[in-house]
């Protein structure tokens, strides 16, 4: 004689699967480095043996966005480059995450001109911001660990096309008459 | 060291506006009508043989020198060190052209690998008619420089084989290194709600 299924038991099983998935994903980050500028040197320093990003399971860059989980945007993005970057992001399969590496990708940095995108979060969602010009490798590893925490908490944390919310310390008011 | 700019002056007196010499750097300010004959002569003459066009650039003097605080450096070098040189005044600044419409300079840097000497040519242009002859037929390296100047300053080069934007995208409106281009004006190709606030 079958009894009614114990829902709490099923819920318990489901959450454990999610946790196991998150745990597996956070240690097998296949990254797509989109390197455009000087931050790339610091990215390389972090990726290679001295700091060894591979300790965190993120040592294997994939050069096809379709095989990548995390998009590392490393360096200044110009208006001309923005459609290319957005297309790379759109080509990545879910679940996917985005790391803004360096202050140019966070806010535009000291570029406030006709040609620079003022933060890649104006054109795509961002999960982790790593400010710095360029950020130290320790800073990058800290950002990577924060990303791992985010992945472990659950897949699909990336916001939909509505774009992410900038952390308060990175919010810069637009001043159209700043040059006057 | 022979005064190169004076040689140009002796040969092309009608096309020459002024000569300048500052710390062994020689400049000839010329009318744009004289550019092609002077350039051909500078390249072919044995004593000149400027075989290398190192750079072409442009300057927008929209407000430069119109006020005392922004007056440029003295035309003639001072015997005093730079930190003792008297503060320049607006009157010391003579553009060499009397036209009030004067706005741009196109600047050419030439180098001779045979004689290891250099010469700078400056051509003043007006804002109403910023056009100058292309040097692509004489030095091939002029091609991309002139495209860049068209892209950034909107100065046209007659006779250029392919005068398109070289750095910016075709959709871009205006020329961003002109002094009257709004410094905060952005023209994103990829338009989103988030960057619409900064766009025109």
């Amino acid at each position: 004689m079958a009894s009614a299924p114990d829902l709490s038991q099923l819920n318990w099983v489901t959450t454990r699967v999610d946790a196991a998935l998150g745990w597996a994903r956070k240690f097998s980050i296949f990254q797509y480095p989109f390197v455009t500028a000087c931050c790339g040197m610091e990215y390389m320093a972090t990726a290679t043996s001295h700091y060894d990003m591979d300790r965190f399971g993120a040592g294997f860059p994939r050069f096809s966005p379709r095989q990548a989980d995390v998009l590392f945007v490393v360096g200044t993005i110009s208006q001309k480059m923005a459609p290319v970057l957005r297309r790379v992001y759109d080509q990545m399969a879910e679940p996917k995450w985005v790391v803004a590496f360096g202050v140019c990708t966070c806010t535009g940095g000291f570029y406030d001109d006709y040609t620079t995108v003022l933060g890649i979060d104006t054109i795509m969602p961002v999960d982790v911001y790593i400010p710095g010009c360029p950020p130290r490798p320790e800073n990058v590893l800290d950002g990577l660990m924060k990303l791992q925490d985010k992945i472990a908490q659950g897949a699909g944390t990336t916001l939909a096309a509505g774009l992410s919310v900038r952390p308060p310390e990175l919010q810069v008011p637009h001043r159209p008459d700043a040059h006057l | 060291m022979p005064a190169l700019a004076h040689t140009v002056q002796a040969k092309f007196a009608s096309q020459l506006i002024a000569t300048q010499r500052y710390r062994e750097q020689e400049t000839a300010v010329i009318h744009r009508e004289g550019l092609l004959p002077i350039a051909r002569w500078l390249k072919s003459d044995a004593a000149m043989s400027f075989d290398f066009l190192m750079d072409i650039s442009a300057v927008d003097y929209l407000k430069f020198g119109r006020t005392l605080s922004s007056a440029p450096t003295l035309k003639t070098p001072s015997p005093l060190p730079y930190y003792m040189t008297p503060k320049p005044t607006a009157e010391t600044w003579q553009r060499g052209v009397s036209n009030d419409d004067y706005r741009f300079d196109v600047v050419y840097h030439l180098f001779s690998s045979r004689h290891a000497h250099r010469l700078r040519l400056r051509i003043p242009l007006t804002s109403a008619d910023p056009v100058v002859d292309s040097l692509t037929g004489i030095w091939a390296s002029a091609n991309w420089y002139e495209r860049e100047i068209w892209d950034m300053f909107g100065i046209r080069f007659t006779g250029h084989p392919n005068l398109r934007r070289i750095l910016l995208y075709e959709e871009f409106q205006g020329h961003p290194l002109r002094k009257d281009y709004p410094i905060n004006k952005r023209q994103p190709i990829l338009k989103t709600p988030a960057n619409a606030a900064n766009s025109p």
Side-chain angles (χ1 to χ4, degrees):
Chain A
M1 184 176 174
S3 61
D6 187 346
L7 290 177
S8 68
Q9 285 286 323
L10 286 176
N11 277 344
W12 182 82
V13 171
T14 307
T15 50
R16 294 318 301 162
V17 168
D18 279 357
L21 264 181
W23 181 85
R25 280 175 175 151
K26 80 180 223 186
F27 289 120
S28 66
I29 296 173
F30 281 23
Q31 31 156 332
Y32 182 91
F34 193 93
V35 180
T36 59
C38 35
C39 270
M41 300 311 294
E42 216 67 16
Y43 170 80
M44 291 172 221
T46 315
T48 48
S49 54
H50 195 86
Y51 288 93
D52 196 9
M53 210 185 248
D54 208 9
R55 290 179 292 153
F56 304 91
F60 194 26
R62 303 304 302 230
F63 294 106
S64 164
R66 300 188 195 281
Q67 302 165 348
D69 305 311
V70 175
L71 177 61
F72 269 76
V73 185
V74 184
T76 320
I77 300 297
S78 65
Q79 301 285 10
K80 206 173 173 180
M81 184 68 83
V84 180
L85 177 62
R86 178 69 205 200
R87 185 164 182 189
V88 167
Y89 174 76
D90 288 341
Q91 285 175 336
M92 290 170 66
E94 295 279 354
K96 56 186 174 185
W97 295 271
V98 178
V99 174
F101 186 118
V103 76
C104 288
T105 56
C106 294
T107 65
F110 56 72
Y111 297 107
D112 188 9
D113 56 19
Y114 58 93
T115 191
T116 305
V117 173
L118 294 186
I120 59 166
D121 54 2
T122 61
I123 57 170
M124 59 201 289
V126 172
D127 291 283
V128 174
Y129 297 84
I130 306 176
C133 186
R136 288 279 310 163
E138 294 89 341
N139 207 353
V140 179
L141 295 179
D142 182 53
L144 186 65
M145 287 189 280
K146 285 188 166 58
L147 179 69
Q148 284 184 321
D149 291 345
K150 198 166 182 178
I151 294 174
Q153 284 164 16
T157 49
T158 300
L159 301 177
L163 307 173
S164 54
V165 179
R166 237 177 228 191
E169 66 271 21
L170 290 181
Q171 283 181 7
V172 182
H174 178 60
R175 293 169 293 116
D177 54 351
H179 63 293
L180 298 176
Chain B
M1 187 175 172
L4 292 170
H6 291 157
T7 318
V8 180
Q9 189 173 30
K11 196 162 174 61
F12 295 95
S14 64
Q15 304 294 351
L16 203 101
I17 298 168
T19 61
Q20 296 166 355
R21 185 184 171 92
Y22 181 66
R23 294 188 178 171
E24 306 298 317
Q25 302 173 31
E26 297 201 49
T27 305
V29 187
I30 60 176
H31 290 294
R32 64 177 174 180
E33 291 79 14
L35 174 64
L36 282 180
I38 289 177
R40 280 200 197 93
W41 175 75
L42 286 174
K43 188 178 183 186
S44 58
D45 187 77
M48 294 290 161
S49 60
F50 285 103
D51 49 3
F52 183 16
L53 176 63
M54 300 186 72
D55 192 20
I56 310 177
S57 57
V59 193
D60 184 356
Y61 288 117
L62 182 64
K63 293 175 180 169
F64 190 75
R66 306 282 160 102
T67 60
L68 199 63
S69 59
S70 66
T73 51
L74 291 166
K75 274 179 69 178
T76 48
S78 165
L80 299 169
Y82 71 93
Y83 49 85
M84 293 173 66
T85 305
K87 189 174 171 61
T89 59
E91 288 73 31
T92 63
W93 172 237
Q94 292 170 1
R95 295 187 178 83
V97 284
S98 55
N99 195 337
D100 288 338
D101 201 24
Y102 164 75
R103 178 165 174 186
F104 298 107
D105 265 358
V106 180
V107 188
Y108 301 83
H109 293 97
L110 301 173
F111 177 69
S112 164
S113 60
R114 183 186 298 170
H115 304 300
H117 57 204
R118 296 162 197 272
L119 181 66
R120 182 185 298 130
L121 299 178
R122 266 180 46 209
I123 300 183
L125 297 174
T126 62
S127 66
D129 187 25
V131 181
V132 71
D133 286 322
S134 171
L135 287 186
T136 45
I138 301 174
W139 290 284
S141 67
N143 191 317
W144 283 13
Y145 290 136
E146 290 175 352
R147 282 179 65 186
E148 186 184 2
I149 292 171
W150 159 249
D151 197 353
M152 294 291 146
F153 289 93
I155 294 170
R156 293 191 303 283
F157 293 86
T158 51
H160 192 286
N162 182 23
L163 195 63
R164 290 184 297 127
R165 290 190 184 276
I166 190 171
L167 295 172
L168 291 167
Y169 32 98
E170 290 298 325
E171 299 90 339
F172 197 89
Q173 303 283 322
H175 302 280
L177 291 195
R178 286 191 172 196
K179 291 296 180 192
D180 51 2
Y181 185 89
I183 196 168
N184 288 62
K185 184 179 175 187
R186 296 174 219 298
Q187 306 185 29
I189 309 176
L190 183 65
K191 292 185 173 60
T192 64
N195 68 18
N198 296 337
S199 309

